[in-house]
Amino acid sequence: MANTAAVAEETGKRGLWDGGQSPFRASYGKLMMWFFLLSDAFTFSSLLIAYGLIRYSYPAYEGSVSDFTFSQEYWPIPEKVFEAVPFLHGIELPLVFVGIMTFILIMSSVTMVLAVEAGHRMDKLAVEKWMLWTILGGITFLGCQAWEWGHFIHGSEQGGMMADGSIFYGANLTMNQYGPPLFADLFFFITGFHGFHVFSGVFLNVLIFYNVVVGTYQRRGHYEMVEKVGLYWHFVDLVWVFVFTFFYLV
Amino acid sequence: MAQVDQSVQQQDAGKEHRQLIWKTFWILLGVTALEFLVAFTIPHEFKVLRISIFVAMTIVKAFYIVSEFMHLRYEVKMLVWSIMIPLIFVVWLVIALLVEGAAIFSIRVF
């Protein structure tokens, strides 16, 4: 009796930082994933805030939205730029396609967290199933983004007038039919950097999926690797939430 | 017998967790749908109102993704603060660079 009391007292006194345990109650790998994501959050913030700075330093379009035309003079209204949907050529559907992409990415985030949950129950089959759905969602998102880039680069039929009076179609890093060249540059950099993260995420997911299938984590006794790669995948989704708001909506 | 009970219990606990995941999904979807509604119903003339709603909804979505999907809500407080406090720098950069952007606009020659 006295002995158990002494033990209780000892454990009671031992604080989180007194050694013998992880003060964060998280493994090294998971902790480092969190700090990596924090640094990545800074990178993406810098890109998006740079967008804010540049947009703020350009004049905004003043007239009514229905009369909007592309011009080098002012920053474009995003929903007028992104209004095309595959197979529906010539129909104005502002933000519909990017809405679909957002849905796909949120959905794949859900399947990822379901894979993590299945891992807690050591349910190998369920982890396989949900990881596969996540990978599929990631690939679909990348496909959508490839289409959107293609459309953005090729441009609309009307094109846009450049400063010298010539008509230019589409956009590259120095010329842009939709507005100031920097608008296109930021589009390529921000969605490109995010797309590259999605691509890396799909790659990591495939790697982890392979390990799940061959039973590595079942033998190890836990599915923490699925959790870690899940953190990364949710972060990619989180960044998209911000890109969606600040690039497409505002 | 005890083992069977435990596995049943574990299944139940998992079920609750799954329900929470789907609930979070519906919240995220609902907020996104609301953003679309705002984008097409509130005219562009109410710029400040539109932007404030968009930013507020983005923060709501970010909160649910980070706290539920990334499980941060259930971590040790010290870990939560280690991640959240450094983000103050982001707030600072937003303010600093927007002021800078306005200054560039005011001295720019078109």
Side-chain angles (χ1 to χ4, degrees), chain A residues 142-156:
Chain A
L142 283 174
C144 292
Q145 209 166 36
W147 186 88
E148 180 150 282
W149 270 51
H151 184 79
F152 190 83
I153 291 168
H154 287 294
S156 63

Side-chain angles (χ1 to χ4, degrees), chain A residues 17 24-25 38 42 49 53 56-60 65 79 94-95 99 103 110 113 117 121 231 234 244-245, chain B residues 14 17-18 21 25 29 35-36 40 44 47 58 69-70 76 78 82-83 86 94 97-98 101 105 108 110:
Chain A
W17 293 90
F24 289 106
R25 290 201 207 287
L38 181 64
F42 284 134
I49 296 168
L53 163 90
Y56 226 51
S57 66
Y58 271 88
V65 177
E79 66 179 60
L95 301 180
F103 176 75
V110 173
V113 75
E117 193 273 329
R121 289 182 283 114
L231 280 178
H234 297 314
F244 174 65
T245 301
Chain B
H17 189 194
R18 281 197 294 278
I21 291 167
F25 164 71
L29 196 66
E35 276 183 326
F36 270 92
F40 295 117
H44 282 263
K47 209 173 187 173
T58 304
F69 285 178
M70 295 172 90
V76 176
M78 196 67 77
S82 307
I83 302 299
V94 169
L97 289 201
L98 287 188
F105 177 69
R108 193 168 209 156
F110 285 100

Side-chain angles (χ1 to χ4, degrees), chain A residues 38 42 45-46 49, chain B residues 84-96:
Chain A
L38 181 64
F42 284 134
S45 310
S46 315
I49 296 168
Chain B
M84 297 313 288
I85 289 174
L87 293 177
I88 277 183
F89 291 117
V90 174
V91 177
W92 163 75
L93 197 64
V94 169
I95 297 166

Side-chain angles (χ1 to χ4, degrees), chain A residues 16-17 23-26 30-31 34-35 37-38 41-42 45-46 49-50 52-60 63-65 73 77 79 94-96 98-99 102-103 106-107 109-110 113-114 117 120-121 123 130 231-232 234-235 237-238 241-242 244-246 249-250, chain B residues 10-11 13-15 17-18 21-22 25 28-29 32 35-36 39-40 44-45 47 50-51 54-55 57-59 61-63 65-66 68-72 75-76 78-80 82-84 86-91 93-94 96-102 104-105 108 110:
Chain A
L16 270 177
W17 293 90
F24 289 106
R25 290 201 207 287
K30 214 165 146 181
L31 208 55
W34 267 111
F35 288 128
L37 293 181
L38 181 64
F42 284 134
S45 310
S46 315
I49 296 168
L53 163 90
I54 292 166
R55 182 174 180 167
Y56 226 51
S57 66
Y58 271 88
S64 78
V65 177
E73 301 293 314
I77 298 174
E79 66 179 60
L95 301 180
V96 168
V98 73
T102 305
F103 176 75
I106 290 180
M107 206 58 220
S109 215
V110 173
V113 75
L114 285 168
E117 193 273 329
H120 285 307
R121 289 182 283 114
D123 188 342
W130 292 120
L231 280 178
Y232 180 78
H234 297 314
F235 176 76
D237 182 30
L238 178 71
V241 164
F242 282 88
F244 174 65
T245 301
F246 294 113
L249 288 179
V250 168
Chain B
Q10 227 166 27
Q11 285 284 344
K15 200 180 168 195
H17 189 194
R18 281 197 294 278
I21 291 167
W22 283 109
F25 164 71
L28 291 176
L29 196 66
T32 308
E35 276 183 326
F36 270 92
F40 295 117
H44 282 263
E45 282 72 35
K47 209 173 187 173
R50 278 171 63 100
I51 293 175
F54 288 146
V55 170
M57 284 177 169
T58 304
I59 291 170
K61 284 204 280 187
F63 170 79
I65 291 174
V66 174
E68 292 296 339
F69 285 178
M70 295 172 90
H71 220 256
L72 191 61
E75 303 288 355
V76 176
M78 196 67 77
L79 177 52
V80 178
S82 307
I83 302 299
M84 297 313 288
L87 293 177
I88 277 183
F89 291 117
V90 174
V91 177
L93 197 64
V94 169
L97 289 201
L98 287 188
V99 170
E100 194 68 24
I104 294 172
F105 177 69
R108 193 168 209 156
F110 285 100

Side-chain angles (χ1 to χ4, degrees), chain A residues 5 35 41 49 51 83 160 164 184 193 209 212 238 249:
Chain A
F35 288 128
I49 296 168
Y51 176 87
E83 54 169 27
D164 61 1
F193 199 57
F209 174 72
V212 172
L238 178 71
L249 288 179

Side-chain angles (χ1 to χ4, degrees), chain A residues 7 37 59 79 82 101 104-105 113 127 132 143 175 191 195 229-230:
Chain A
V7 168
L37 293 181
E79 66 179 60
F82 306 102
M101 285 166 72
I104 290 168
L105 210 57
V113 75
V127 178
L132 211 54
M175 309 253 277
T191 66
V229 84

